[in-house]
Amino acid sequence: ETGVTQTPRHLVMGMTNKKSLKCEQHLGHNAMYWYKQSAKKPLELMFVYSLEERVENNSVPSRFSPECPNSSHLFLHLHTLQPEDSALYLCASSQDSGGHYTQYFGPGTRLTVL
Amino acid sequence: AQTVTQSQPEMSVQEAETVTLSCTYDTSESNYYLFWYKQPPSRQMILVIRQEAYKQQNATENRFSVNFQKAAKSFSLKISDSQLGDTAMYFCVSWAGSARQLTFGSGTQLTVLP
């Protein structure tokens, strides 16, 4: 595997379900990000982890819970979501030093909340 | 705060021709980077080209080049010899030194016509 991978690619869940999105980066980066992309809206940054520490949380509802167990893996735990949470969730990684701030994205998870 | 403006929601170009996508930005930072990302129908966000603000020379990547006008805060993307595979949503993106957050423009949907 190369680059940034995300699983699952598609997820349908009910409002009472609990599920998790997984992101893995194979680039040796030290920072990882979760973004939400809804139709007709700009890309929204949700969370940032740098060196496995959460450094950014952009007023995201508590029904979204991130976890970064190591620098290669990032999870987004979902519970009691709402239909308006249906969106494409993108993970990205970057090397957060030395001028290399370019973010590389995974293919995304298309989430549908019924 | 940073803002990125793309004033062309949609554009089309004939295969093998050249097209230019416009972008203006605003930032109070002295250290910043600018990017063009593309998002084809697969929804994967792909880095096209990157420009460091401190470099006067315009970045080029094969058929892709930028016209970076720092004083005018303009950052346009030129695609030469357009190919059908270039059909995608193109996002102009900025990153400033004081934050890890990328700021995305609203995007330009480019269609390459056979």
Side-chain angles (χ1 to χ4, degrees):
Chain A
E1 292 276 15
T2 59
V4 181
T5 59
Q6 290 185 243
T7 55
R9 295 295 308 277
H10 300 273
L11 178 62
V12 179
M13 59 187 289
M15 291 193 289
T16 58
N17 292 158
K18 289 184 179 181
K19 297 286 185 183
S20 295
L21 309 185
K22 178 183 175 182
C23 175
E24 185 173 359
Q25 60 94 2
H26 309 269
L27 301 169
H29 290 163
N30 60 10
M32 297 186 76
Y33 312 77
W34 278 117
Y35 288 88
K36 176 183 178 183
Q37 187 176 31
S38 305
K40 309 294 185 185
K41 292 177 71 175
L43 212 67
E44 302 171 59
L45 178 67
M46 300 175 73
F47 301 104
V48 180
Y49 276 84
S50 179
L51 298 172
E52 300 155 39
E53 180 182 342
R54 191 190 310 180
V55 295
E56 196 96 18
N57 178 347
N58 281 359
S59 303
V60 178
S62 59
R63 57 185 183 269
F64 295 91
S65 174
E67 178 190 2
C68 187
N70 55 62
S71 60
S72 298
H73 293 86
L74 183 66
F75 295 89
L76 188 62
H77 304 300
L78 316 171
H79 63 98
T80 59
L81 294 190
Q82 304 298 311
E84 60 264 28
D85 297 322
S86 297
L88 181 71
Y89 289 85
L90 292 167
C91 173
S93 72
S94 70
Q95 184 61 24
D96 205 19
S97 64
H100 298 282
Y101 303 106
T102 305
Q103 293 186 20
Y104 295 89
F105 287 80
T109 295
R110 170 67 65 186
L111 173 66
T112 302
V113 181
L114 301 176
Chain B
Q2 301 178 79
T3 60
V4 177
T5 303
Q6 294 178 250
S7 58
Q8 304 154 312
E10 296 180 2
M11 295 186 72
S12 62
V13 62
Q14 292 295 135
E15 196 174 6
E17 293 190 347
T18 296
V19 64
T20 298
L21 280 59
S22 301
C23 172
T24 58
Y25 65 92
D26 194 15
T27 180
S28 56
E29 302 278 347
S30 58
N31 176 31
Y32 60 93
Y33 295 77
L34 298 167
F35 308 86
W36 281 96
Y37 282 86
K38 74 174 188 180
Q39 191 174 37
S42 68
R43 307 297 282 171
Q44 173 94 46
M45 193 73 74
I46 301 166
L47 177 69
V48 175
I49 199 165
R50 152 189 157 139
Q51 175 80 44
E52 292 90 337
Y54 62 87
K55 289 187 177 179
Q56 292 186 333
Q57 187 173 5
N58 289 324
T60 63
E61 285 288 341
N62 301 314
R63 298 183 295 107
F64 299 88
S65 61
V66 298
N67 183 4
F68 175 44
Q69 300 290 323
K70 192 170 184 177
K73 295 186 176 177
S74 168
F75 183 62
S76 60
L77 174 70
K78 186 172 82 171
I79 306 174
S80 304
D81 186 26
S82 298
Q83 300 176 1
L84 295 177
D86 295 333
T87 292
M89 179 72 84
Y90 285 80
F91 292 97
C92 180
V93 182
S94 69
W95 181 95
S98 63
R100 294 179 176 82
Q101 184 163 344
L102 294 179
T103 300
F104 281 74
S106 55
T108 296
Q109 177 63 49
L110 176 68
T111 301
V112 179
L113 304 169

